[in-house]
Amino acid sequence: MGANTSQVSDLSDNPNLRALVGTESISENDPFWNQLISFTFISPTCSGDSKLLEEIVIPLAKLLIENNPRTGNFCALVRIFLGRTKELKISTECQDQLFIWQAHNTLFMIRCLIKVFIREMSEEELRLQFSYQERAPGSCGETGSEDLLEELLSNLVHLIVEVPLLDITYSILFEAVTTLLIVFSYQLFHKDILRDGIMYQHMMKGKCLCLTSRLVKTLLYNFIRQEKCPPPAAHIFEPKAEGGLLYGLASGVASGLWSVFTLGGAGIKAGIDQEPNPLPLSNQSLLLLLVLANLTDGPGWPNAYRQAITCFRNTQDTSALLMEQPHTFQINFNSLYTALCEQQRSDQATLLLYTLLHQNPNMRTYILSRTDMDNLVLPILEILYHVEERNSHHVYMALIILLILTEDDAFNRSIHEVVLKNVTWYTERSLTEISLGSLLILVVIRTIQFNMTRTRDKYLHTNCLAALANMSAQFRCLHQYAAQRIISLFALLSKKHNKVLEQATQSLRGRQGDNTALPDYAQDLNVIEEVICMMLEIINSCLCNSLHHNPNLVYALLYKRELFEQFRMHPSFQDIMQNLDTVIGFFSQRLEQAGSDLSVERVQEVIMKGAQALPKDRLKKFPELKFKYVEEDQPEDFFIPYVWSLVFNSGVGIHWNPQGIELFSMDSG
């Protein structure tokens, strides 16, 4: 590269790049370095150009791998960058755009090279690439005690936490965050979860450790701020009047720098150009935060980044406990909550919300205390509603979040007090006015029905029913459509139960004297009966605790009362059916007394008066339904491959070895 504008097609023959990867050592004091990093690179705007960049960089990087032990040129490039990072903060204050631009270019080159290095060599071999230096003929090519790799990581962290986010620093901050992501991508080349390693040790207990809380806080604030990539005018600057080379970031860098490293394709289908991410720094910061939080504990040291995420507090919290926990810090919970509400369309934002709700008691308490919970719950419900378009892992996260929220009784009460107008994304039926609680019930039931007909995932079933069970005692003023859907779900389960029972009976009759193995209808029947029992318990819980608040559920129950006849004498359901029989019998009698040919309004009036007259002691009390989310229910290390799947599909452009860690499909369905 050099002072001229560079395009992808020019890189393979660029004399400066050829000199960098060549056989001659270049002194760090040589003017060559200033020329090398003074380039304007028009970044690729489509996957085809990105793929071309990839194809050109790989052979250059391989030449450098071969020659670097003799020349030490890669280490010299890293030292050039390290020398500039020490003055970046001052340069930012002085608006020295030329200095920042050259530092950015240097880091961009380092990132491109490291990405190929990681694909081509082990961590130990990579460490050696950082140990070679310029040498005289016949001398040893390795440095002394300096660990250049650790210095680079430490300086990147310092850069992220110390350099303010401005238009002129946006690109270099993005590069720093993305380079750290690239460094940790060794996991994509290992089948087993990495629990140790050079990179891990540097970040977990090296020079970076003291910056743990500041790094986590900065990454969170990058997510909160949601800063867009600045317009070209924010980067371009003119040369001095006396002439000289035109140093400036081209519009390609300003408008699409962050797409440079898409390189044909992480997460991009062949032949399809990916839309640029308008919030690249926010997105990359969140991905890095999730990667750090999900690193495993090392032998003898805990994950400090996870500790920081689990214990940070609100800026308004003046508790003395603040100083008793390691790596803690304070952040504005209101700003974080707002960002979480706005960004739930992405897997990574939903995973962050899950992490905070599950692991940070301070944040969970704050979220549950909000009076505008609809701002958070509605995006989660929309994820579940569009289950056909979402990948299964995003759906799981949304469902687990609901389960965690429904563990709180105050939440279960408050959602029935929030009235929504015109929920446009719910298209099965026009909902001009409905409570948040009734909408939640509708969406969860729809998810159950989708799962019954499509995926048949027991884990998804269990969590949906657990959320409904947690809410059931606090059902209030259920919308008539929500009440109908509860009974309709029971009807669907009843129909499925009868079908399996009939298949089992016919199979037994047709195989008399046949010793071959029977289909496992007994297991299918047992699963269905467990779900039916759970639904009966949910209905019973509502009737016992809030019957007088839910006339629409009683109406739906009476309208479909024949559904429950077959289960009255079933040994698995006899106890739970007692209360339903009592309610059905009591209200049926009152309706008979009211006369025949009753209008809907008259039936509802009879039900409302009857609800007040029914003695509570006539209903048998059962233990309260309460289910808690337990992380151990997830497969071991579930979140590590999930996080790396998000990184891989984000457009960072990292490589993945199919023989390495198994990535999750981010396809819908």
Side-chain angles (χ1 to χ4, degrees), residues 74 116 221 283 388 638:
F74 176 69
V116 181
Y221 268 126
N283 185 59
E388 301 95 334
F638 170 83

Side-chain angles (χ1 to χ4, degrees), residues 494 557-567 584:
S494 176
L557 192 64
L558 293 172
Y559 190 74
K560 293 287 187 179
R561 54 191 158 199
E562 72 280 357
L563 288 172
F564 301 91
E565 292 289 337
Q566 62 177 309
F567 300 108
I584 290 172

Side-chain angles (χ1 to χ4, degrees), residues 202-470:
H202 287 329
M203 291 298 291
M204 293 283 209
K205 60 177 186 178
K207 294 180 179 180
C208 300
L209 183 62
C210 63
L211 296 171
T212 296
S213 59
R214 292 180 64 190
L215 178 58
V216 171
K217 183 176 182 178
T218 301
L219 294 175
L220 277 173
Y221 268 126
N222 286 348
F223 167 69
I224 288 170
R225 291 179 64 174
Q226 298 290 311
E227 292 285 351
K228 294 183 179 180
C229 190
H235 293 268
I236 298 174
F237 53 96
E238 297 296 330
K240 294 181 180 179
E242 59 267 23
L245 297 172
L246 172 61
Y247 294 101
L249 291 179
S251 59
V253 175
S255 63
L257 168 70
W258 23 271
S259 68
V260 171
F261 226 39
T262 302
L263 300 186
I268 300 178
K269 295 181 180 179
I272 300 177
D273 288 338
Q274 188 181 41
E275 285 297 316
N277 183 351
L279 306 169
L281 180 59
S282 172
N283 185 59
Q284 300 298 78
S285 296
L286 180 52
L287 288 172
L288 178 58
L289 181 65
L290 292 172
V291 167
L292 293 172
N294 285 280
L295 295 176
T296 57
D297 294 336
W301 67 84
N303 182 341
Y305 302 96
R306 187 184 302 123
Q307 287 182 329
I309 286 175
T310 59
C311 68
F312 69 78
R313 293 173 175 267
N314 196 352
T315 48
Q316 298 177 354
D317 189 348
T318 58
S319 170
L321 290 174
L322 192 62
M323 305 306 296
E324 297 177 8
Q325 295 170 301
H327 310 298
T328 190
F329 60 90
Q330 291 180 290
I331 199 167
N332 188 309
F333 276 15
N334 181 61
S335 300
L336 179 55
Y337 177 81
T338 301
L340 287 168
C341 292
E342 292 174 349
Q343 297 301 316
Q344 285 309 301
R345 62 183 175 275
S346 75
D347 284 72
Q348 47 266 38
T350 304
L351 182 53
L352 176 63
L353 175 58
Y354 157 79
T355 302
L356 296 178
L357 273 173
H358 181 53
Q359 298 183 8
N360 190 313
N362 306 312
M363 192 67 195
R364 180 170 63 250
T365 300
Y366 176 83
I367 289 175
L368 289 169
S369 71
R370 296 284 301 206
T371 57
D372 59 346
M373 280 296 294
D374 52 309
N375 289 335
L376 183 67
V377 175
L378 280 173
I380 298 298
L381 294 183
E382 197 168 353
I383 293 170
L384 292 175
Y385 184 78
H386 296 294
V387 59
E388 301 95 334
E389 303 168 12
R390 302 287 181 175
N391 69 76
S392 59
H393 314 289
H394 199 184
V395 172
Y396 283 145
M397 287 295 97
L399 193 52
I400 292 169
I401 287 168
L402 285 185
L403 179 56
I404 293 173
L405 292 173
T406 59
E407 292 172 12
D408 184 75
D409 286 341
F411 169 82
N412 294 331
R413 287 190 296 270
S414 66
I415 56 175
H416 291 287
E417 298 168 0
V418 178
V419 178
L420 307 170
K421 304 281 188 180
N422 298 316
V423 183
T424 55
W425 49 261
Y426 193 96
T427 57
E428 267 87 342
R429 177 166 172 164
S430 177
L431 300 176
T432 55
E433 186 173 296
I434 189 172
S435 71
L436 180 60
S438 289
L439 181 64
L440 195 158
I441 293 167
L442 284 174
V443 172
V444 171
I445 287 176
R446 185 180 185 275
T447 306
I448 294 173
Q449 291 179 323
F450 173 83
N451 187 50
M452 286 175 64
T453 57
R454 303 281 188 90
T455 57
R456 300 181 181 179
D457 187 318
K458 184 179 179 181
Y459 180 80
L460 194 117
H461 254 7
T462 302
N463 283 282
C464 284
L465 291 169
L468 288 177
N470 285 346

